[in-house]
Amino acid sequence: MDDKNLIKGIKNKDEKYLIEFINLYGPILKGVIVKTIGNRRNILDEILNDALLGIWDNINSYDPTRSSFKNWCAGVAKYKAIDAIRKEAKHDCLDLDDVSGFIYDKNLENFDESEKILEMLSKKDREIFKKLFIEGYSYDDLEKITKIPKDRLYNKVSRAKKTLRSKL
């Protein structure tokens, strides 16, 4: 099947053409994504699905005078991968198990080291950290409990993580 028919079928939202598209372009998209994300294989499937959905939803944005269909699809996949990396970095959290070696007192072998680490934060930030990373609350739940907008919670957590990193 040629690209013109494939594009026309996708524009008409015919799933038969989507399956054909995946068979033809899936390996190319996957290759572009893997090249972009490196060793972050845990997010590969999510990015591939996002790229396929992006192509499916935005097929009318494709302009054959600007690039080939293959290159346009590869570009969509690459930018979806870059967005996923940015999103992952934005929400990357400090794993308290990673810092356990920094605080050790042989007399306190059963002491919960996370408490000692969290003492480096303000009382408000410490409560937010406990609820998010120890008690397992989501940002949505925490927004309701603290009455702090979610975007401000993300900022507070990000700043608190930077504080912990600098002190540890």
Side-chain angles (χ1 to χ4, degrees), residues 94-102 112-114 117:
L94 177 64
D95 187 356
L96 296 178
D97 292 334
D98 291 345
V99 295
S100 64
F102 289 103
D112 184 5
E113 295 171 357
S114 61
I117 293 169

Side-chain angles (χ1 to χ4, degrees), residues 37-59:
I37 65 172
N39 62 355
R40 296 176 185 93
R41 299 293 177 121
N42 57 322
I43 57 175
L44 173 64
D45 290 337
E46 180 183 343
I47 297 169
L48 184 58
N49 288 336
D50 286 347
L52 290 171
L53 184 61
I55 292 166
W56 179 259
D57 287 340
N58 298 300
I59 191 70

Side-chain angles (χ1 to χ4, degrees), residues 127-145:
E127 290 303 313
I128 290 171
F129 253 70
K130 282 181 182 178
K131 290 198 181 313
L132 276 173
F133 302 114
I134 296 173
E135 298 172 20
Y137 284 88
S138 70
Y139 279 95
D140 292 324
D141 295 336
L142 202 54
E143 180 181 32
K144 292 173 189 168
I145 294 168

Side-chain angles (χ1 to χ4, degrees), residues 7-50:
I7 294 165
K8 184 178 179 185
I10 294 172
K11 282 183 178 182
N12 291 331
K13 303 297 183 198
D14 188 339
E15 289 183 23
K16 176 179 79 171
Y17 289 94
L18 178 62
I19 293 168
E20 186 66 29
F21 171 77
I22 292 170
N23 290 334
L24 287 172
Y25 288 96
I28 295 168
L29 299 178
K30 189 173 181 181
V32 168
I33 293 167
V34 167
K35 185 176 178 185
T36 305
I37 65 172
N39 62 355
R40 296 176 185 93
R41 299 293 177 121
N42 57 322
I43 57 175
L44 173 64
D45 290 337
E46 180 183 343
I47 297 169
L48 184 58
N49 288 336
D50 286 347

